[in-house]
């Protein structure tokens, strides 16, 4: 099992760099860029699962978001580069609040978007 701390550090850095959403065309050597973007009305959230560069699910159990949008919602993003010709792409995010949103970008183009709202806590969304 990989340590949790480095992954959290990556999320913190990615969350502070909104320009990462504009990843552009496929990278050198045939790499495909997949960016997972999660948004919540709370900075401290439940689990966030996405597929890594080897099409394996990766889970962050306690997702903390360090950046806040102008509308007051908190967000973070994770970008993976894969050389797979048919990568698994998708994410699930569980907010600790009443709002959860997700977007998935493939080589900079948005391919999935979803929002979940609930009157109680723990809104969950899948892209």
């Amino acid at each position: 099992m990989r340590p949790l701390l480095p992954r959290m550090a990556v999320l913190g850095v990615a969350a502070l760099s909104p320009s990462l959403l504009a990843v552009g065309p496929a990278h050198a050597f045939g790499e495909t860029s997949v960016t997972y973007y999660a948004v919540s009305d709370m900075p401290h959230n439940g689990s966030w699962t996405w597929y890594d560069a080897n099409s394996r699910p990766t889970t962050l159990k306690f997702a903390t978001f360090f950046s806040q949008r102008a509308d007051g919602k908190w967000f973070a993003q994770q970008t993976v580069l894969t050389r797979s010709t048919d990568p698994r792409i998708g994410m699930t995010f569980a907010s600790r609040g009443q709002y959860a949103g997700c977007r998935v970008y493939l080589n900079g183009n948005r391919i999935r978007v979803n929002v979940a709202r609930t009157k109680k806590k723990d809104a969950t969304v899948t892209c």
Side-chain angles (χ1 to χ4, degrees):
M1 182 159 100
R2 291 182 272 170
L4 186 60
L5 185 57
R7 189 174 305 131
M8 289 176 61
V10 169
L11 287 174
V13 171
L16 296 174
S17 304
S19 62
L20 288 177
L21 283 177
V23 291
H27 296 271
F29 309 112
E31 291 180 330
T32 298
S33 170
V34 182
T35 300
Y36 300 105
Y37 177 88
V39 63
S40 173
D41 56 346
M42 303 292 286
H44 304 288
N45 296 284
S47 65
W48 183 10
T49 301
W50 65 89
Y51 287 103
D52 69 10
N54 297 311
S55 294
R56 292 181 303 220
T58 301
T59 299
L60 178 62
K61 291 187 179 183
F62 303 102
T64 297
F65 297 168
F66 300 102
S67 295
Q68 198 169 19
R69 303 185 324 188
D71 66 0
K73 298 218 174 16
W74 296 86
F75 72 95
Q77 64 188 36
Q78 175 66 35
T79 299
V80 297
L81 298 176
T82 181
R83 292 188 179 178
S84 172
T85 57
D86 189 22
R88 294 184 78 183
I89 298 171
M91 66 171 274
T92 300
F93 168 63
S95 168
R96 288 240 171 110
Q98 298 175 333
Y99 179 93
C102 63
R103 294 183 211 153
V104 178
Y105 296 83
L106 182 63
N107 292 327
N109 299 306
R110 187 175 67 194
I111 60 169
R112 296 182 186 157
V113 62
N114 200 2
V115 171
R117 292 180 179 89
T118 181
K119 292 184 180 183
K120 297 182 181 182
K121 293 185 177 190
D122 301 324
T124 301
V125 68
T126 300
C127 279

